[in-house]
Amino acid sequence: MINQQLTEVTTIHTMLPNYWPHFIASPYAYYDHESVCLYHHPHFNGQEVILPWNNQFTGSTSIIFENEVTAIVDINNLNKEEVYATLIHELFHCHQYHKKEKRFPNELVGIAYPLERENIQWRIQERECLNHALRITNINRQREAIQAFIYWREKRKEQYNELVQYESRIETIEGPAFFIEFLAYKDIVNQTDELVLERYIKSLTDYSIMTNRIRHSCYPSGLALCLLLEKFSPQWKEELFEHQLTIYEILQKEFEPIARAPKKMHLPFSLDDLIQEAEMNKELEISSFKKTNGFLLTLIGKGRIQQFDPMNTIQSHKNFLHKNGMTIRLQEQSIYFSRPVLALTENRLNDVLQLQFVINHPPEQTIDGIFIEGIGHFLGEIKQVGNNIYIILSN
C-alpha cells in the first residue's frame, strides 16, 4: 500500500507559484505496484481517490488520464523528498501541455545519434565551459566562460546542426522541469545549496554519460542554462511560452560572439576509447538482455510500434532494445509490453519484423491460437529449440 507519509505533501498545488509564474495546476497521482493515489482530478470531483494500479501508470511522467493531463510518480525506490521534487517536475510537463509547448525534439535523432569523433570532442569542450560558467563567481570570468560555451556550440551547429537542435530542444523541454525540481528539492531537504546543486549537475561533465546517454546528458546542461538565465535574462520564465526560441538561443542573445577560438582543454583520456566504450555498452546491454533467466521468445511477423519510451531505447544497427517496454500493433490488436523487448526493424523504428522477449513459462497451444502468459493470444505456429521459442505469426 502507498506510504501514508505522502499525505504530508498532498497540498502541493499551493506550492506551484513558488516555482514558476502563473503555474497551471493539474491532477496528479502517486502509485506503487498495487495502488494509485489520485488528487484534484475533475473526473472524481477533485477528491482524493485510491484506485487499483493499471499499466497506464508506468514510470514518472505525465499522461492523459480520464481526458485530463495528469502528473504521475512511481514512488518505488524514492524517498519522500525525491517524490515531492519529482512530482513538481512532472507537473511542469503538464504546464507545458496547457501552454501548448511545441519545441519537442525528434526522438529518432537521439536514438540514432552518431558518435562522431569531432562532434563528441567539441561537445566535451562546450560542457566544460558551461560547467565553469556555472561554478565561478567573478562576473567577467563568468561571461567569458559563457561566450566560450557559445563558441563551441555554434561551431558544432555548422557541421552537426540536426544533432545540436535535438540537444537544444531537450534542454528546452527538460531544463526548466529540472530547474523547478531543483528548487523544490532544495526547499524540502536539509542540505546546503551547494550540495543540492552538485547533486543535480554532477553529470554535466561526466564523459561516459555524454557518450552513453545522449538524451539524459542534456538534462544537466538544460538546468545549467536555466540557472544562468536567472542571472543574465531574469524575464526568461515570464516569456518562455511567448516565442519558439530554445533556452540556449535565449541565453545566446545576451552575449556578443567572441573574436577568436577559446583555448582547448586537454582531454585526460582517449576519445576513441570513449566512443568505443559507448558502442560496446550498447552491444552488452542487448546481449545481457538475451541471457535473462527464462525462455527467449521470438515473435516473427510484421507489427507497428505505437508507443515507446525514447529515454530507455537503445539502437544497435537495426535492433532496438526497448528497456522500459512499449506498445505494438500485432494481428489487429494493441499489445502492451511492460518488460524489455528487442525489436528487429525494417526501414524505420516503428516497422517491426521480429520481437524478442523473455518469458517464465512456455506459450500454450489453445483451440483458438497461442496463449502467452501476461501478453495475450496470437494466431501462428510454435517452434522450439532448447530455451529458444519461435512463434511464426499468421498473416
Side-chain angles (χ1 to χ4, degrees), residues 10-242:
T10 57
T11 55
I12 203 166
H13 276 178
T14 64
M15 301 297 294
L16 300 182
N18 297 345
Y19 303 124
W20 196 269
H22 316 298
F23 203 132
I24 299 172
S26 297
Y28 56 87
Y30 309 105
Y31 72 92
D32 58 18
H33 294 312
E34 297 178 355
S35 306
V36 176
C37 199
L38 180 68
Y39 300 90
H40 302 291
H41 200 292
H43 184 76
F44 301 95
N45 299 316
Q47 300 298 307
E48 174 187 342
V49 293
I50 296 179
L51 307 171
W53 177 87
N54 65 64
N55 62 26
Q56 281 185 279
F57 295 87
T58 302
S60 294
T61 185
S62 59
I63 63 172
I64 302 297
F65 180 68
E66 297 292 352
N67 299 316
E68 290 286 334
V69 63
T70 303
I72 65 170
V73 176
D74 180 353
I75 67 170
N76 293 291
N77 305 316
L78 295 180
N79 62 37
K80 186 175 68 176
E81 292 79 13
E82 291 168 336
V83 168
Y84 174 74
T86 303
L87 182 55
I88 294 288
H89 176 127
E90 300 305 338
L91 280 167
F92 186 80
H93 286 316
C94 296
H95 176 74
Q96 289 170 319
Y97 174 88
H98 289 300
K99 300 297 285 186
K100 296 180 170 50
E101 174 64 80
K102 294 181 175 63
R103 289 164 289 191
F104 294 98
N106 180 351
E107 298 293 1
L108 298 184
V109 172
I111 294 172
Y113 196 104
L115 296 177
E116 297 190 22
R117 194 179 192 279
E118 190 175 56
N119 181 46
I120 297 299
Q121 184 175 27
W122 292 346
R123 193 167 189 259
I124 289 172
Q125 300 283 345
E126 78 168 44
R127 295 306 180 91
E128 291 289 347
C129 294
L130 185 59
N131 182 58
H132 188 49
L134 200 60
R135 294 177 182 274
I136 58 182
T137 56
N138 180 285
I139 187 67
N140 291 327
R141 291 178 58 204
Q142 189 175 40
R143 292 186 72 90
E144 289 173 359
I146 294 171
Q147 286 176 305
F149 158 72
I150 292 171
Y151 171 88
W152 289 114
R153 177 154 292 194
E154 289 300 301
K155 190 170 182 64
R156 285 207 299 134
K157 278 176 66 176
E158 291 174 7
Q159 294 189 43
Y160 306 101
N161 183 58
E162 185 180 43
L163 304 183
V164 174
Q165 284 301 316
Y166 166 76
E167 295 171 36
S168 296
R169 285 173 175 260
I170 293 174
E171 290 168 345
T172 302
I173 298 299
E174 296 291 350
F178 270 88
F179 170 70
I180 64 168
E181 178 186 328
F182 162 76
L183 297 178
Y185 190 79
K186 198 166 60 166
D187 267 356
I188 202 170
V189 295
N190 184 25
Q191 293 180 9
T192 65
D193 290 357
E194 290 75 16
L195 279 175
V196 178
L197 180 63
E198 186 61 31
R199 168 191 171 91
Y200 276 89
I201 67 161
K202 62 184 179 182
S203 61
L204 179 61
T205 53
D206 185 315
Y207 302 139
S208 179
I209 289 177
M210 276 189 223
T211 49
N212 283 283
R213 303 175 67 188
I214 297 293
R215 194 184 202 280
H216 182 80
S217 73
C218 296
Y219 301 171
S221 60
L223 170 60
L225 290 172
C226 293
L227 291 170
L228 292 172
L229 284 170
E230 283 287 278
K231 185 171 186 176
F232 293 101
S233 185
Q235 293 300 310
W236 75 279
K237 295 193 294 293
E238 293 278 359
E239 300 170 355
L240 184 62
F241 297 103
E242 297 177 2

Side-chain angles (χ1 to χ4, degrees), residues 142-369:
Q142 189 175 40
R143 292 186 72 90
E144 289 173 359
I146 294 171
Q147 286 176 305
F149 158 72
I150 292 171
Y151 171 88
W152 289 114
R153 177 154 292 194
E154 289 300 301
K155 190 170 182 64
R156 285 207 299 134
K157 278 176 66 176
E158 291 174 7
Q159 294 189 43
Y160 306 101
N161 183 58
E162 185 180 43
L163 304 183
V164 174
Q165 284 301 316
Y166 166 76
E167 295 171 36
S168 296
R169 285 173 175 260
I170 293 174
E171 290 168 345
T172 302
I173 298 299
E174 296 291 350
F178 270 88
F179 170 70
I180 64 168
E181 178 186 328
F182 162 76
L183 297 178
Y185 190 79
K186 198 166 60 166
D187 267 356
I188 202 170
V189 295
N190 184 25
Q191 293 180 9
T192 65
D193 290 357
E194 290 75 16
L195 279 175
V196 178
L197 180 63
E198 186 61 31
R199 168 191 171 91
Y200 276 89
I201 67 161
K202 62 184 179 182
S203 61
L204 179 61
T205 53
D206 185 315
Y207 302 139
S208 179
I209 289 177
M210 276 189 223
T211 49
N212 283 283
R213 303 175 67 188
I214 297 293
R215 194 184 202 280
H216 182 80
S217 73
C218 296
Y219 301 171
S221 60
L223 170 60
L225 290 172
C226 293
L227 291 170
L228 292 172
L229 284 170
E230 283 287 278
K231 185 171 186 176
F232 293 101
S233 185
Q235 293 300 310
W236 75 279
K237 295 193 294 293
E238 293 278 359
E239 300 170 355
L240 184 62
F241 297 103
E242 297 177 2
H243 54 70
Q244 291 300 307
L245 297 175
T246 64
I247 57 173
Y248 163 70
E249 289 167 334
I250 300 170
L251 185 67
Q252 184 188 19
K253 286 171 60 178
E254 303 293 330
F255 292 86
E256 293 291 329
I258 53 178
R260 59 182 182 179
K263 184 179 179 181
K264 287 185 181 180
M265 63 167 287
H266 172 70
L267 301 181
F269 53 82
S270 164
L271 198 61
D272 293 328
D273 288 348
L274 189 69
I275 293 171
Q276 185 179 14
E277 175 196 335
E279 297 288 5
M280 286 179 59
N281 284 341
K282 292 181 184 181
E283 298 294 339
L284 284 172
E285 287 218 50
I286 290 174
S287 62
S288 63
F289 150 77
K290 292 184 177 182
K291 293 177 182 176
T292 306
N293 289 336
F295 296 91
L296 182 64
L297 178 62
T298 302
L299 287 179
I300 302 172
K302 290 189 176 182
R304 184 166 180 79
I305 293 176
Q306 297 176 308
Q307 189 175 14
F308 71 100
D309 178 1
M311 289 183 287
N312 290 289
T313 301
I314 295 173
Q315 179 184 11
S316 179
H317 308 295
K318 290 189 175 184
N319 291 316
F320 291 84
L321 177 61
H322 297 270
K323 298 166 62 178
N324 201 32
M326 52 81 164
T327 302
I328 186 170
R329 187 80 175 167
L330 281 172
Q331 291 191 336
E332 304 303 318
Q333 55 184 326
S334 289
I335 308 295
Y336 169 71
F337 287 87
S338 60
R339 65 196 73 194
V341 183
L342 182 66
L344 173 64
T345 62
E346 192 169 18
N347 298 316
R348 50 186 178 171
L349 178 147
N350 289 342
D351 296 327
V352 175
L353 297 176
Q354 291 183 20
L355 279 183
Q356 285 190 332
F357 50 95
V358 176
I359 55 176
N360 295 323
H361 305 287
E364 300 175 20
Q365 186 79 57
T366 64
I367 295 174
D368 57 350

